């Protein structure tokens, strides 16, 4: 098996070269949307494969590969955010990896392995470990049992406990070169590769996601509303936009505010090139302190994208604050 994405080829080779003696605690760090999670899974599979290829990559055909690909390998654990059932019966994603999950993983690595090879624990996103979970894991990271490999994945490695970070061998996965990313997007059938790459800050997997969904239409609707703060009606827009997913809303609003700041401070647009004229006009009118305050709130909100209880009210409050930026 080759690297999951072409821009990961060098990191992939670097990992494979260590297959005989892999780092027992590995941290894959870098921006979101560049394929760190896929790289971590490919690495886990390579370690668990029982008939690896000469370069160390997984064969894709042995029983271990089959189990891995069907999420049933007995020597593999994934620690990730789980779906929860809320008070009103709705499902939502947990905002943290809980201590129970970490304890289960700690117990798991202290058992003997089912097969003769490695045992792998993948933690993704590792920055979502809550403090108790991180502390539980730290104990085994300090002295990992034999043949045990931890792979941590994070877009925000600074949010990890320093004691965890310092235990890990770190591999940085950067943004791919634009030509490589746009070439790959074209091969996936994405027409507007350059604009979508700009919109997603250079991350190809986010660009692909934009191209796939209804999100582009939703984005346009939201931006057309935000383009005229002097005329926007928070109540009716809050009602209209409540169906936009929290992720899409956050993505669109965050980048809009970032562009307003960029226009205001540097005179250039980074993400929303198709709205450059509007941004230039608004950027010059914006109250910088209020804009910074709103952008900071928005950045924090990105950490907790669960559905709030009253979406409409939350959007209304945001829109009122947004309107005041241009008073
Ligand atoms: Zn295999």
């Amino acid at each position: 098996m080759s690297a999951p994405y072409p821009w990961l080829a060098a990191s992939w080779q670097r990992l494979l070269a260590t297959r005989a003696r892999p780092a027992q605690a590995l941290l894959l760090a870098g921006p979101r949307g560049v394929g760190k999670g896929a790289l971590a899974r490919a690495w886990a599979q390579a370690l668990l494969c029982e008939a690896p290829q000469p370069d160390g990559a997984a064969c894709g055909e042995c029983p271990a590969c089959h189990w891995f690909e069907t999420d049933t390998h007995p020597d593999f654990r994934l620690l990730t955010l789980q779906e929860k059932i809320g008070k009103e019966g709705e499902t939502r994603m947990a905002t943290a990896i809980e201590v129970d999950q970490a304890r289960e993983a700690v117990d798991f690595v202290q058992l003997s392995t089912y097969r003769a090879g490695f045992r792998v624990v993948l933690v993704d996103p590792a920055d979502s470990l809550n403090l108790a979970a991180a502390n539980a894991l730290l104990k085994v990271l300090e002295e990992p049992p034999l043949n045990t490999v931890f792979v941590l994945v994070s877009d925000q490695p600074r949010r990890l406990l320093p004691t965890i970070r310092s235990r890990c061998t770190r591999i940085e996965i950067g943004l791919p070169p634009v030509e490589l990313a746009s070439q790959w997007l074209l091969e996936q059938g994405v027409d507007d590769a350059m604009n979508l790459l700009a919109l997603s800050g250079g991350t190809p997997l986010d660009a692909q996601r934009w191209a796939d969904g209804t999100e582009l239409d939703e984005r346009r609707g939201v931006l057309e509303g935000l383009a005229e703060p002097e005329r926007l009606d928070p109540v009716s827009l809050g009602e209209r936009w409540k169906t936009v997913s929290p992720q899409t809303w956050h993505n669109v609003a965050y980048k809009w505010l970032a562009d307003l700041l960029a226009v205001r401070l540097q005179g250039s647009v980074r993400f929303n090139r198709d709205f450059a004229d509007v941004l230039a006009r608004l950027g010059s009118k914006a109250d910088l302190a209020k804009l910074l305050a709103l952008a900071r709130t928005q950045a924090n909100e990105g950490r907790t994208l669960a559905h709030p209880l009253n979406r409409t009210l939350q959007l209304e409050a945001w829109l009122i604050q947004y309107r005041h930026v241009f008073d």
Side-chain angles (χ1 to χ4, degrees):
M1 295 170 79
S2 52
Y5 299 104
W7 56 88
L8 297 174
S11 309
W12 181 232
Q13 289 308 319
R14 196 176 146 194
L15 281 173
L16 290 182
T18 68
R19 190 183 181 281
R21 293 194 57 181
Q24 285 201 278
L26 177 73
L27 171 60
L28 297 179
R32 51 167 281 143
V34 296
K36 298 184 302 298
L39 186 67
R41 282 189 68 87
W43 179 228
Q45 185 173 353
L47 292 171
L48 294 167
C49 174
E50 293 173 9
Q53 295 175 335
D55 67 354
C59 71
E61 286 162 15
C62 71
C65 281
H66 175 71
W67 294 326
F68 186 83
E69 286 165 3
T70 53
D71 287 328
T72 53
H73 198 296
D75 292 323
F76 177 73
R77 283 291 186 282
L78 171 65
L79 281 190
T80 190
L81 296 172
Q82 293 182 324
E83 277 192 350
K84 285 188 157 183
I85 308 290
K87 280 182 195 147
E88 290 167 25
E90 79 285 6
T91 53
R92 57 182 184 84
M93 291 305 278
T95 53
I97 296 175
E98 308 282 350
V99 68
D100 294 352
Q101 295 172 264
R103 288 206 187 107
E104 200 277 329
V106 170
D107 291 344
F108 163 70
V109 300
Q110 279 152 359
L111 299 169
S112 56
T113 55
Y114 286 84
R115 307 293 286 186
F118 290 107
R119 173 172 39 206
V120 183
V121 178
L122 173 56
V123 189
D124 182 13
D127 44 81
S128 299
L129 288 163
N130 69 21
L131 187 61
N135 278 318
L137 269 194
L138 183 59
K139 293 202 183 84
V140 282
L141 280 176
E142 278 169 342
E143 281 182 68
L146 198 66
N147 290 340
T148 299
V149 170
F150 287 90
V151 183
L152 281 65
V153 176
S154 176
D155 337 305
Q156 304 196 49
R158 275 185 294 178
R159 298 178 70 100
L160 293 170
L161 283 184
T163 39
I164 286 197
R165 266 202 316 263
S166 69
R167 294 287 154 201
C168 294
T169 301
R170 179 162 167 161
I171 294 188
E172 293 287 340
I173 311 291
L175 287 178
V178 174
E179 311 78 63
L180 206 54
S182 59
Q183 178 60 36
W184 179 81
L185 284 166
L186 286 172
E187 286 164 14
Q188 310 308 308
V190 174
D191 298 329
D192 199 11
M194 292 308 276
N195 264 335
L196 290 176
L197 267 180
L199 186 61
S200 57
T203 64
L205 301 184
D206 280 355
Q208 186 188 29
R209 215 166 39 81
W210 278 114
D212 282 348
T214 52
E215 282 181 301
L216 272 182
D217 293 336
E218 289 182 335
R219 164 185 175 265
R220 175 154 293 278
V222 168
L223 294 192
E224 282 169 359
L226 297 183
E228 299 190 78
E230 59 283 346
R231 290 208 284 161
L232 71 79
D233 172 10
V235 176
S236 68
L237 286 183
E239 188 59 32
R240 193 191 311 165
W241 293 348
K242 71 180 178 191
T243 55
V244 175
S245 83
Q247 281 79 4
T248 302
W249 163 258
H250 173 72
N251 220 336
V252 170
Y254 178 77
K255 283 169 181 167
W256 183 255
L257 296 174
D259 268 349
L260 282 171
L261 278 171
V263 163
R264 181 64 196 261
L265 299 172
Q266 297 148 16
S268 64
V269 169
R270 186 170 159 217
F271 299 111
N272 300 286
R273 292 189 194 172
D274 46 346
F275 280 80
D277 294 347
V278 177
L279 284 160
R281 176 173 63 81
L282 291 180
S284 62
K285 290 203 307 187
D287 178 303
L288 188 56
K290 289 180 187 168
L291 181 56
L292 277 169
L294 188 57
R296 201 171 296 134
T297 315
Q298 191 66 38
N300 290 334
E301 195 205 305
R303 297 302 307 165
T304 53
L305 286 172
H307 272 283
L309 284 178
N310 194 327
R311 185 68 180 151
T312 310
L313 274 184
Q314 191 196 38
L315 284 168
E316 264 181 55
W318 190 98
L319 287 165
I320 289 167
Q321 205 186 339
Y322 176 74
R323 209 171 48 182
H324 283 316
V325 170
F326 306 96
D327 279 348

